[in-house]
Amino acid sequence: MTTPTLDILLESLESAKRRQPAEPYAVPNLWREGRTGVSMVDPFDYFSDAIGAIRASAPVGWDKVVMNGQNWSASATVYNLFVRYNAAFDHNHDGRISTEPLPCGFRETGTLLKAIAMLPYIRRMGVNTLYLLPLTSIGQVNRKGELGSPYAIKNPYELDETLGEPALDLPVETQLKALVEAARHLGMRVVFEFVFRTASIDSDWIGEHPEWFYWIKSGENLPPYCAPAFGDDKLTRIYEKVDKHDFHELPEPDEAYRNRFVPAPEKLTLGAHGYTGATTDGGECVIASAFSDWPPDDRQPPWTDVTYLKLHNAPRFNYIAYNTIRMYDEALERPEFRATALWREITGIIPHYRNMFGIDGAMIDMGHALPPELKASIVAEARLDAPDFAFWDENFDPSPTLKEEGFNAVFGSLPFVIHDVQFIKGLLTFLNRNGVAIPFFATGENHNTPRVCHNLAGKEAGRRRALFLFTLGAVLPAMPFIHSGMEICEWHPINLGLNFTDDDRQRFPTESLPLFSAAACDWENANGLEPICDAIRKVLDIRSRHFELVRCGDIGSIVQPYISDPALLTVMRKSGGKNLLFAGNSNFEEPVTGTMEFEQESMELEELITGQTLTISGHKLTRDFAPGECILFELPNTAQE
C-alpha cells in the first residue's frame, strides 16, 4: 500500500527537526488566522501542524454539476497561484526575499510546502479550484531577472527544483504530489498551466531533436536578429486576409529575413550561451529567439530567453513569422508537413502529469495559437480514461466553437474593459446578445495585465474596485477567479504583458518584475488596507444560493436595467422565472445617487450582502451608493422594470 505523500512530508519534517535546530521564522498571520501581521514560529512545527490539520479535516466531496454536458469547470471558483511569488515571504525579516535557502533549510521564495500551508486560507474564501502557473524547469541561458521566466521551459517533464524545500530532503515531485493530495483533503481540484508553443533557448530537446527548432545564421557581420518588418501595404493585406480568415498565400516576410534561417545542423555544441551548430557552408548558426508575432508590426524586442517550437516541417516556411506560428498559412495544413514526432511528444505531456500527480485539468498557454489538429490531439489524449478532465483556453470569446473543440472555460475579456464602466456595459451587451457557451474567468487581472489596484497602491479606492469587480463577476455565467494577491489589494504588476504604458515600462524594469525575480506580496500588511477575504466569502455564499440562475449563459439572460446615473451599473440575471439583480457604483472615489423604476408600485426587498431592506415606493427605488458600493437582491417576476 502506498504511503500518502502528506505522511511522507510529516516524517521528513520530524527527521529534519532532529537534525537541524529551529531558528526564528516569520509567517504571515493571514495564512493562519485571517488577520494581518506576522508570528514568529518554529518552521518544523508550523508546517507539521498545518499538514496535520489538513489531514484531519473531513474529506469534502466534489460539487456535483451537470449543465448541458459541461464538466465541473461550470462550478469552479478559482484561486490562481504563481507559487514562486505568491507563496514567498521574508521569513528572517531582513527586508529582502533571498534566492538562497536560509540556514535552517527553508526558502524565502515560494515553495510547494508553503503552498500547502496556504490551502486552508484559500479554501476559507470559498475557493474549490487551485490553478497553478507553470512549475517546470527553467532555462539558464539569457535568463530574465534572477530566477527566469516560468514560461522559459527547459524540460516540460521536469519540475523547477527551487519549488522544493531543501529542509525536507525530498524530491520536488513528492512535494508536488503532496500539494495535490492536500487539495483533495480540502475538496479542491487542481489545474496546471502548460506551455506547448515555446521552449527555453537552451531546451533539453535541442540536443536530441535540433529539427524541432528554428535556426539562424550568426556572426559579427550579420545585423541583429529581430522580428520581420512589413511595409504599410503588406500590413494592410495581412490584416485584410486575417480578418476574413483567408489563410491562402498569406503575405510573407521579405527574402532577406527568410534567408537568415537555415536547416537544423547535424552537429551541435553546447556552451555557456546555449547551442551552436554549423551551416552547410561552414558558418555558424544558433537557435532563433522568439518575439511578439501578433500584431505583425509589434516592435517589442526579441524574447531572448525563449524560442518557438517548429511545429511544421515545410522547407518553404522555415522561418518564424505570424504565418508560421499563429495564423498558419493554408499550405501548412497538409498532413505531411506536421512535425509528427514533436506533436507526439507534446500530446504526451498532460497525460504524464495527470497520471503522476492526479491533476484535474489544464490551462493551455496561447492555446488559440496552436494548430487546430494538434490542439485536438492534446485534448483527446488527455481525456483517455478521464472524460471529466478539464481544458481551459487562453482565449477571449466564450464561443460555441471552443465548446465544440472540447474546452470548458476561457480567459475572457473582462481585464481589458475594467478601466471604463461604459466598456464593461458594452461587454455585457455583447454577452447578452451572443450568449456564453462556456464560462470565462471572472477577473479584472492576471499575471500579464495591470493589477486591479494598479496606480491605486494603498488607496481605499483600489480595495473598492477589487470588490466591485469580484461581486460583478460572481453574478455572471463565469468562474469567480481570484488572482493571488487581489484579495489583499496587491498593486505591483507581475509582468508587463498587456495594457501597459511606456511610463509603466519605465517604472517597472524587467528585473523588478516577480515573473522573473524574487519578490513577495504584502502578506504582512495587506498594502495598508483591510483584506477583502471575508467579503469574497459572503459574495460566493450568495452566488452558491443562486447558482442555477447565475450559471445560465443563454442569450437574453444578462439584462442591464435602466438606472439614472451613467456611473452606476446594473445587471439582471434572468432564468427559469427567477431574477437576481446587481447594482453598483463604478465611481470608487465619490458617492452617486441613482434611481431604478419598477412595475410594482411599492415593495420591500432584502439586500443580500448586508441584509438591509430596500424600499420601492411610487414604482421607484432611489439609493445613495457609497463609492464602489454594490447591492444584490432578488426580484419577483411581477416587479421587473
Side-chain angles (χ1 to χ4, degrees):
M1 186 174 180
T2 304
T3 304
T5 49
L6 288 176
D7 290 354
I8 295 173
L9 257 63
L10 283 173
E11 293 169 4
S12 181
L13 285 165
E14 292 170 3
S15 176
K17 184 172 182 177
R18 290 193 295 268
R19 296 192 309 268
Q20 174 73 46
E23 298 179 2
Y25 183 87
V27 296
N29 291 332
L30 270 172
W31 295 358
R32 308 170 70 213
E33 305 161 357
R35 57 185 176 86
T36 54
V38 299
S39 296
M40 303 305 295
V41 300
D42 177 317
F44 302 102
D45 291 343
Y46 168 70
F47 290 115
S48 294
D49 291 346
I51 293 171
I54 291 171
R55 287 174 69 251
S57 60
V60 180
W62 302 127
D63 296 328
K64 301 295 183 182
V65 173
V66 178
M67 178 186 166
N68 299 328
Q70 287 197 30
N71 81 341
W72 58 264
S73 298
S75 64
T77 295
V78 180
Y79 193 88
N80 179 203
L81 193 70
F82 175 22
V83 172
R84 190 180 75 194
Y85 167 53
N86 298 126
F89 195 72
D90 180 12
H91 296 294
N92 65 1
H93 259 197
D94 68 351
R96 59 185 292 269
I97 303 296
S98 174
T99 57
E100 296 297 323
L102 299 174
C104 60
F106 291 98
R107 296 186 186 276
E108 292 197 310
T109 51
T111 64
L112 298 164
L113 180 63
K114 286 190 280 186
I116 292 172
M118 291 177 68
L119 287 179
Y121 156 77
I122 295 169
R123 186 59 170 142
R124 281 195 298 271
M125 282 186 282
V127 169
N128 61 16
T129 305
L130 186 68
Y131 158 31
L132 304 174
L133 292 194
L135 303 168
T136 37
S137 61
I138 297 172
Q140 296 284 341
V141 174
N142 296 341
R143 269 193 172 184
K144 292 184 178 180
E146 303 168 287
L147 301 174
S149 167
Y151 292 87
I153 293 173
K154 194 170 192 296
N155 190 320
Y157 288 96
E158 294 181 1
L159 299 178
D160 179 2
E161 292 292 333
T162 67
L163 297 176
E165 292 283 11
L168 294 177
D169 194 25
L170 289 172
V172 67
E173 290 80 9
T174 301
Q175 298 176 54
L176 180 54
K177 289 179 182 178
L179 174 60
V180 177
E181 183 181 307
R184 289 280 187 278
H185 269 274
L186 297 176
M188 300 172 69
R189 298 185 188 266
V190 181
V191 172
F192 286 6
E193 181 165 335
F194 293 92
V195 182
F196 297 136
R197 191 170 171 244
T198 58
S200 72
I201 204 79
D202 57 348
S203 167
D204 288 351
W205 284 354
I206 298 172
E208 293 185 11
H209 295 283
E211 73 277 9
W212 291 356
F213 298 85
Y214 292 95
W215 294 82
I216 55 172
K217 301 172 186 175
S218 65
E220 295 181 358
N221 298 325
L222 292 170
Y225 167 71
C226 62
F230 296 96
D232 292 341
D233 290 344
K234 189 174 282 191
L235 278 173
T236 299
R237 293 206 312 277
I238 290 172
Y239 286 123
E240 286 176 349
K241 290 180 74 69
V242 170
D243 286 346
K244 295 176 182 177
H245 297 277
D246 174 10
F247 299 142
H248 177 71
E249 295 291 337
L250 287 167
E252 298 184 81
D254 62 38
E255 186 177 7
Y257 176 82
R258 300 197 310 270
N259 288 342
R260 181 80 180 263
F261 289 79
V262 296
E266 294 184 2
K267 294 184 179 180
L268 305 178
T269 302
L270 178 60
H273 300 291
Y275 285 92
T276 57
T279 61
T280 54
D281 60 3
E284 185 179 80
C285 60
V286 296
I287 296 288
S289 60
F291 49 78
S292 177
D293 62 290
W294 191 262
D297 53 346
D298 192 322
R299 304 321 301 166
Q300 291 185 47
W303 302 334
T304 55
D305 57 337
V306 296
T307 184
Y308 286 111
L309 292 171
K310 190 177 178 182
L311 298 174
H312 297 92
N313 291 324
R316 174 188 159 189
F317 294 98
N318 182 36
Y319 57 84
I320 298 175
Y322 80 99
N323 60 319
T324 64
I325 58 173
R326 182 191 292 257
M327 312 296 183
Y328 299 97
D329 192 283
E330 189 179 88
L332 292 172
E333 294 179 3
R334 292 165 57 181
E336 62 267 31
F337 287 152
R338 296 174 187 172
T340 307
L342 173 57
W343 285 29
R344 190 181 305 118
E345 188 76 12
I346 289 172
T347 57
I349 292 172
I350 292 178
H352 166 78
Y353 283 88
R354 192 198 72 197
N355 295 330
M356 186 168 185
F357 299 103
I359 62 173
D360 303 286
M363 171 70 175
I364 308 300
D365 174 65
M366 296 296 292
H368 59 280
L370 292 173
E373 300 82 7
L374 173 57
K375 198 171 174 181
S377 297
I378 291 169
V379 173
E381 190 72 19
R383 286 204 171 123
L384 287 175
D385 303 320
D388 288 336
F389 192 85
F391 271 95
W392 302 347
D393 194 16
E394 192 181 13
N395 211 309
F396 303 135
D397 183 10
S399 68
T401 301
L402 286 169
K403 183 177 180 180
E404 293 165 5
E405 291 176 0
F407 284 81
N408 308 110
V410 296
F411 177 61
S413 302
L414 196 55
F416 309 113
V417 300
I418 64 169
H419 60 284
D420 189 323
V421 70
Q422 301 308 318
F423 288 3
I424 296 176
K425 292 177 180 179
L427 173 61
L428 296 176
T429 298
F430 173 84
L431 297 175
N432 187 55
R433 184 172 60 244
N434 294 279
V436 179
I438 53 177
F440 59 91
F441 296 175
T443 180
E445 64 178 48
N446 81 342
H447 63 281
N448 274 326
T449 70
R451 290 279 198 174
V452 167
C453 294
H454 187 66
N455 294 329
L456 295 172
K459 294 182 179 179
E460 188 63 32
R463 182 181 184 277
R464 295 170 186 147
R465 189 186 203 195
L467 189 53
F468 173 93
L469 291 169
F470 187 83
T471 306
L472 170 64
V475 302
L476 299 177
M479 299 193 308
F481 188 103
I482 303 168
H483 178 228
S484 184
M486 181 276 285
E487 74 275 23
I488 57 170
C489 309
E490 196 58 53
W491 57 271
H492 196 291
I494 295 176
N495 183 37
L496 302 183
L498 302 166
N499 286 14
F500 288 94
T501 66
D502 289 340
D503 287 343
D504 292 327
R505 299 183 190 282
Q506 291 283 336
R507 183 181 174 197
F508 302 108
T510 297
E511 60 271 14
S512 75
L513 296 173
L515 194 69
F516 312 116
S517 295
C521 295
D522 186 8
W523 295 112
E524 181 173 351
N525 298 307
N527 296 285
L529 299 166
E530 180 185 354
I532 63 172
C533 306
D534 292 342
I536 286 174
R537 180 62 196 237
K538 182 174 288 188
V539 168
L540 289 175
D541 285 343
I542 295 170
R543 173 185 168 85
S544 67
R545 297 199 302 269
H546 299 82
F547 183 67
E548 295 300 322
L549 169 62
V550 168
R551 74 178 185 177
C552 175
D554 293 348
I555 292 173
S557 67
I558 309 172
V559 179
Q560 296 178 67
Y562 168 79
I563 193 165
S564 58
D565 193 290
L568 299 175
L569 174 66
T570 58
V571 179
M572 184 164 69
R573 301 305 322 284
K574 303 172 60 177
S575 179
K578 297 181 179 180
N579 306 285
L580 180 67
L581 203 144
F582 163 97
N585 180 9
S586 70
N587 187 326
F588 307 114
E589 304 280 359
E590 302 291 339
V592 174
T593 299
T595 298
M596 302 178 67
E597 297 183 356
F598 301 85
E599 288 185 358
Q600 192 155 329
E601 181 177 3
S602 62
M603 179 171 49
E604 288 190 345
L605 302 168
E606 179 188 5
E607 200 285 305
L608 300 175
I609 297 174
T610 63
Q612 296 176 353
T613 299
L614 304 174
T615 302
I616 296 174
S617 178
H619 299 283
K620 295 181 179 180
L621 170 63
T622 299
R623 183 174 179 86
D624 298 325
F625 287 83
E629 182 186 8
C630 302
I631 61 173
L632 292 171
F633 57 94
E634 297 175 9
L635 194 63
N637 274 334
T638 56
Q640 289 187 42
E641 180 195 16

